[in-house]
Amino acid sequence: MGAHRPRRELPQGCRGPGLTGPGQAGSGPAGSGPAARVVRVLPDVPALDRALDYLVPDDLGAALAVGTIVRVPLHGRRVRGWVVALDVEPATPVERLLPIRAVVSAGPPAELVALADEAARRWAGPRTAFLRPASPPNNVAPGPVPVPEVGIYPTSVPPVSIPDRDRRVVETPPATERATLIASLLAPEGSTIVLVPDRAEADALVAHLAATGREVVAFRTDETDASRTRTWETARHGARVVVGGRIAIFAPVPDLRAVIVLDDADEALADERAPSWHARDLAAQRAAGVGARLDILSPAPTVEAVALAGEPIAAPRPQARSGWPRLEVVDRRDDPPGLGLLSAQLGPALHRALDAGTRAVCVMNRKGRAHLLLCRACGEPARCERCDATVAEVDAGLRCARCETVAELRCRHCGSARFRGARPGVVRLRDDLAGLVPRHRVLAVDAASTALPAFDVAVGTEAVLHRVRGESNPIGLVAFLDFDQELLAPRHRAAEQALWLLVRAARAVGSRTAGSGGRDGLVLVQTRVPEHEVLRAYEEADPSIARSVETARRRDLGFPPFGGLAELRGAPEAVAAACIALTGSLTVLGPNGDRALVRAPDTSTLTAALATTDLGPARARGRLRIDVDPLRV
């Protein structure tokens, strides 16, 4: 493979000699003469993240290519690694180099080795974090890469008019079928990768595409290593449609022509571990590197998706509106004190859903909530005058945790200076709901719940929406008991994440009109900010209403994608030392205990500074994690 793909030179800082010991210099069949062949290998040691030079024994040279997995000596032991460059000019005299000990397995193609290098810089992590998922779980016989298969398939006309561009964003209403649209966007020749964060939709899509005659490969992380290795080998032959979660972006197809990303706002497309890369951005990098088309399909495209691929292509208005189920907004500003989470409208809505033979889901996020301050005079939540997030009372007045703005202690709505705290009670929530719907089964669902027993009403965090989707007994009502905790959270993506919760609820209950073939479900939202742009966007079936406000807000505050942002977390001593090291070139907010924020004018400036700053002394003080472009800050 290295013979017919351009070789990418690694940064000078990544070069180094293989380690030698007494009497070992120049050992091995390759000898130490001028004809000795040298390759560069990245050991599978994340803490090192430095490529080293090794000699190639004569009997192993034919099996080597960029990406081949080998075993090399390092610090007196043998470790596996990846060949990242062939036939290099060593930075150390050849007679001091050690030979490769064995060729272990075929590995990722040169294209993915280069992608790992770019991704490591983008997300401030080791290259091994990207080369591992790009490699087969078990060993695959090394040697020549299979000649790509050729398949030419007929094209189909998309159900909506889509212009011919290299990058496109398409709005797909949440409660509509989109397998037909996806099938029309597949490349007629070569391979297409489809990233699907929802497992149930991925399985259905695999079956749909296979029924059209396409060769489909399902990339699933929950299968055995042997099964995943067979899938990896199959993808190497090309002319395939690869369907899977975020890990599918590493499929070793040799002929990538198109990448389709579904629901880029779904956090399942972001790796929770460091480096916390996002599949949408990695897909854009890979597609650009090989000249493939990129399509992003979502009911509510993110600000990042639009910045990446342009304004969304929307379905005709009647079709869009039918794909957003009915919404009922319950204004709680005038509720009497002591009513708690159970509004006067909730009980009748529950009864209507149950009487229709459907089930109901009540969502109450208990973790990561802001402590709301409510005006005693008008009941309005206290909000930041600059960015609209919740604020906390401090000695100087009201302080916003999102943009650090401090304002005087007064209500924006009526001018009152008297506030009260409002923290929703959740201890007896299940029992309170049971009192509203006697003789019905009310179930509390949490993270520890496994298989769900039969229920009529389920209450839990937003995870409950994943647990009930796809079951045969339909959901007729999804009720958010305190949606202000999402709308006004002091996170820079709070509005976007709140709209995505409504999308998930819409998918759970079905389409707006029963006559269109779906269910006449209802999404009920209890709030004290009924005029919020997220709720208006849902009511109008127009996500751009919320996105335009969010775009302006982020541009004003310098948040991604209009600025670089990273979060430092870990041992307080390590975080403090990292802040000192980074202060000279970046804006550092903190440290605040075990965390700090780092900001820059753009992501490129941020990642370049992180790459050139020596954080070794900080890491020596304890655990240090760097999240570039974090989702929940």
Side-chain angles (χ1 to χ4, degrees):
M1 173 160 292
H4 60 273
R5 289 187 185 270
R7 176 167 59 86
R8 299 175 64 91
E9 281 293 332
L10 298 178
Q12 184 67 30
C14 295
R15 299 187 179 191
L19 303 184
T20 63
Q24 292 181 312
S27 62
S32 58
R37 187 182 180 193
V38 179
V39 296
R40 192 154 291 143
V41 176
L42 178 68
D44 190 3
V45 181
L48 179 63
D49 197 30
R50 181 186 179 202
L52 307 175
D53 294 339
Y54 289 91
L55 292 172
V56 180
D58 293 337
D59 58 336
L60 298 182
L64 291 180
V66 172
T68 300
I69 300 173
V70 296
R71 196 163 295 280
V72 295
L74 181 67
H75 293 303
R77 60 193 179 100
R78 293 186 179 186
V79 301
R80 84 166 192 162
W82 294 269
V83 175
V84 295
L86 297 171
D87 302 319
V88 300
E89 186 68 31
T92 297
V94 172
E95 60 269 15
R96 295 185 56 197
L97 300 182
L98 292 175
I100 291 172
R101 295 304 186 191
V103 176
V104 176
S105 170
E111 170 214 336
L112 290 184
V113 174
L115 182 68
D117 192 38
E118 297 173 4
R121 288 194 294 269
R122 168 67 173 79
W123 284 282
R127 284 171 285 177
T128 56
F130 302 95
L131 289 173
R132 285 175 179 173
S135 304
N138 293 339
N139 293 339
V140 173
V145 177
V147 176
E149 297 180 4
V150 177
I152 302 177
Y153 296 89
T155 58
S156 58
V157 179
V160 295
S161 178
I162 301 178
D164 185 15
R165 299 199 305 256
D166 290 339
R167 294 183 175 185
R168 304 176 294 196
V169 181
V170 183
E171 284 184 4
T172 56
T176 56
E177 181 272 339
R178 55 182 176 177
T180 303
L181 171 61
I182 295 169
S184 70
L185 297 177
L186 301 179
E189 299 181 53
S191 294
T192 300
I193 295 177
V194 187
L195 303 181
V196 191
D198 183 80
R199 173 61 185 270
E201 183 174 14
D203 291 344
L205 185 59
V206 167
H208 177 87
L209 297 179
T212 66
R214 300 297 293 245
E215 294 288 337
V216 184
V217 177
F219 259 57
R220 299 188 176 100
T221 58
D222 57 354
E223 294 186 345
T224 65
D225 286 351
S227 176
R228 291 165 54 207
T229 301
R230 287 193 296 271
T231 299
W232 189 90
E233 285 190 273
T234 302
R236 293 178 81 202
H237 289 82
R240 300 294 196 276
V241 177
V242 177
V243 179
R246 63 177 181 269
I247 208 71
I249 194 57
F250 294 108
V253 292
D255 53 354
L256 184 63
R257 298 292 180 270
V259 181
I260 302 173
V261 181
L262 304 188
D263 302 339
D264 74 300
D266 195 315
E267 294 183 12
L269 288 179
D271 198 331
E272 295 180 353
R273 300 163 298 178
S276 53
W277 54 275
H278 197 292
R280 173 200 57 229
D281 302 321
L282 202 57
Q285 286 186 347
R286 184 172 184 186
V290 298
R293 189 184 67 241
L294 173 69
D295 287 315
I296 301 174
L297 277 57
S298 175
T302 61
V303 175
E304 285 85 355
V306 174
L308 191 66
E311 285 298 317
I313 301 149
R317 294 302 301 159
Q319 180 182 341
R321 293 189 68 85
S322 68
W324 291 82
R326 293 184 301 118
L327 175 71
E328 180 178 346
V329 178
V330 178
D331 186 352
R332 305 213 65 192
R333 288 175 294 186
D334 296 327
D335 282 356
L339 196 58
L341 294 171
L342 309 184
S343 66
Q345 292 88 338
L346 179 61
L350 287 170
H351 281 286
R352 286 194 298 270
L354 296 174
D355 291 345
T358 61
R359 298 178 296 169
V361 173
C362 297
V363 180
M364 177 65 219
N365 275 340
R366 305 182 184 185
K367 297 180 180 179
R369 297 173 297 152
H371 183 85
L372 287 179
L373 288 176
L374 302 181
C375 175
R376 290 185 179 274
C378 67
E380 284 276 349
R383 290 186 279 169
C384 176
E385 296 182 352
R386 183 183 181 192
C387 73
D388 227 29
T390 55
V391 291
E393 187 172 357
V394 295
D395 292 341
L398 298 174
R399 177 182 175 275
C400 175
R402 178 195 283 170
C403 68
E404 306 292 331
T405 298
V406 177
E408 62 179 307
L409 188 68
R410 66 176 180 83
C411 175
R412 288 171 50 187
H413 186 69
C414 70
S416 173
R418 298 175 64 244
F419 294 88
R420 63 181 176 87
R423 182 175 294 276
V426 295
V427 177
R428 297 193 58 187
L429 184 55
R430 191 203 70 85
D431 293 337
D432 291 343
L433 286 170
L436 283 180
V437 287
R439 299 183 300 279
H440 288 282
R441 298 163 295 183
V442 181
L443 176 68
V445 181
D446 57 26
S449 302
T450 54
L452 298 185
F455 70 88
D456 300 311
V457 179
V459 58
T461 63
E462 62 186 78
V464 71
L465 295 174
H466 281 305
R467 306 290 297 277
V468 301
R469 190 178 174 204
E471 296 186 2
S472 57
N473 194 5
I475 304 298
L477 169 70
V478 173
F480 292 93
L481 302 183
D482 187 11
F483 205 55
D484 297 343
Q485 300 289 353
E486 312 303 327
L487 292 175
L488 307 180
R491 303 187 298 265
H492 75 280
R493 287 189 172 92
E496 199 167 73
Q497 291 162 348
L499 182 56
W500 192 250
L501 277 181
L502 295 181
V503 166
R504 289 169 58 187
R507 287 176 170 166
V509 301
S511 61
R512 181 184 292 262
T513 57
S516 65
R519 301 185 303 275
D520 192 19
L522 173 68
V523 177
L524 183 143
V525 172
Q526 299 184 161
T527 178
R528 289 181 172 83
V529 283
E531 76 288 348
H532 197 280
E533 63 270 10
V534 167
L535 300 176
R536 290 191 289 111
Y538 188 110
E539 289 178 314
E540 296 297 326
D542 184 2
S544 68
I545 294 174
R547 189 171 55 250
S548 61
V549 176
E550 180 72 2
T551 299
R553 181 184 295 133
R554 290 206 215 162
R555 184 178 281 112
D556 177 57
L557 298 175
F559 282 134
F562 308 109
L565 180 68
E567 182 185 37
L568 308 181
R569 284 189 290 167
E573 298 82 2
V575 172
C579 289
I580 294 173
L582 292 167
T583 299
S585 56
L586 301 171
T587 301
V588 179
L589 306 178
N592 183 9
D594 63 350
R595 65 188 297 269
L597 292 180
V598 180
R599 302 185 65 175
D602 52 66
T603 300
S604 298
T605 301
L606 173 69
T607 55
L610 290 172
T612 56
T613 301
D614 182 12
L615 295 176
R619 297 186 186 278
R621 294 174 176 267
R623 184 179 65 86
L624 179 65
R625 169 177 172 147
I626 302 175
D627 286 345
V628 176
D629 199 4
L631 289 180
R632 291 188 171 262
V633 167

